[in-house]
Amino acid sequence: VALGLYFPRKEYLENVYIDEPAGMPLLRVHALKDSHEEVARFHLCQNLVVPRARPQENNWFQIKEKTGLLYLSKSLDREDFNMLSVGNWMPLSKVMLYVFLSSHPFQEKECDSAARTTVFLSLINATAPACSSLTARQLCFTEMDLSFHIKENKPPGTFHQLQLPSVHHLCQNLSISYKLLAAEGVPFRYNENTTSVRVTQRLDREERERYELIAKCTVREGFREMQVEVPFLVNVLDEDDSPPFLPNGTDTADAVVEFNRKEGTVLSTLTVYDADTTPIYPLESSRKKYTGTIITDDPWISETFRVEHIFDEIHFSPNGSQVRGTRHEY
């Protein structure tokens, strides 16, 4: 079962124009592994999801099983557009495709169980614009934020390609190059030959939860040169791999009770820190992870006293970067 393979993005966006040729590459989907042995295979489940209409059989889009390249298998003409836009007479219609992941050749019945990501395709009732009419931002980057989620403690791997397959295919007389601007020592590498970005080592969320880089693109046309920069963000997803810790090493607290204490009086407190998780909602699911217990054989004590558990999010600062965690007070 491909429990381990996962997508570093929850969704992808791309534009599709009328009469683009069959074979036209649209976008590349990436997957990351849970273990080195896994091989990622990509698959489309049959139907196109069309808002406010019944799902349509997908006759236009295919994905390369081994590379994740989504492409047009059939040119989309005006008749197709009218059918998929369900007569809404808009210049643009959105449809959805689900891309599924498997570590073995795909069985259709797995369409409900495998890991998946969503591809939103904007079908545009016009032919593709001339490359010379596009801005540097349109030539370099899609409308998607460059924001990724990488699980901690997983093997290295490629998780994004900066070059847009459709622009590269259509605008061959333009020179488009990229750079990834980052502080020294961050665990990401950009490959100029493939324009792909790779995480180079296992990440540890308790060391760093978020990386903020910049993707820089340069477009050259003859003597003209345009540059554009966009944020490139990587969030590290947590795995429950670090035990909670006590600030002074003790997991018990003594309580001294004097006479005439009012109900609700706090007699003793104990603090526990957890750098590994942040408060989960609903709150009860956070409460169930840890319990505070009064250790006694005396039923009167059990009836008369209780442990209250409150918790809140705090920030730790290992290596100068902020990491969220939880402080539990009993």
Side-chain angles (χ1 to χ4, degrees), residues 154-171:
K154 302 301 179 203
T158 297
F159 63 95
H160 185 61
Q161 183 181 16
L162 283 167
Q163 181 186 73
L164 304 181
S166 53
V167 170
H168 182 65
H169 187 78
L170 291 171
C171 307

Side-chain angles (χ1 to χ4, degrees), residues 2 5 7 29-31 39-47 58 61-71 97-119:
L5 290 166
F7 290 104
V29 172
H30 287 85
V39 176
R41 296 172 187 265
F42 302 91
H43 184 80
L44 292 179
C45 284
Q46 278 313 300
N47 292 331
N58 170 24
F61 306 100
Q62 283 297 325
I63 196 163
K64 296 204 167 165
E65 185 187 45
K66 292 184 177 166
T67 64
L69 183 71
L70 185 77
Y71 63 95
L97 275 172
Y98 295 118
V99 179
F100 289 77
L101 257 184
S102 180
S103 54
H104 51 78
F106 209 85
Q107 310 290 313
E108 205 60 41
K109 62 180 187 292
E110 294 175 273
C111 280
D112 294 331
S113 58
R116 76 177 190 188
T117 190
T118 309
V119 177

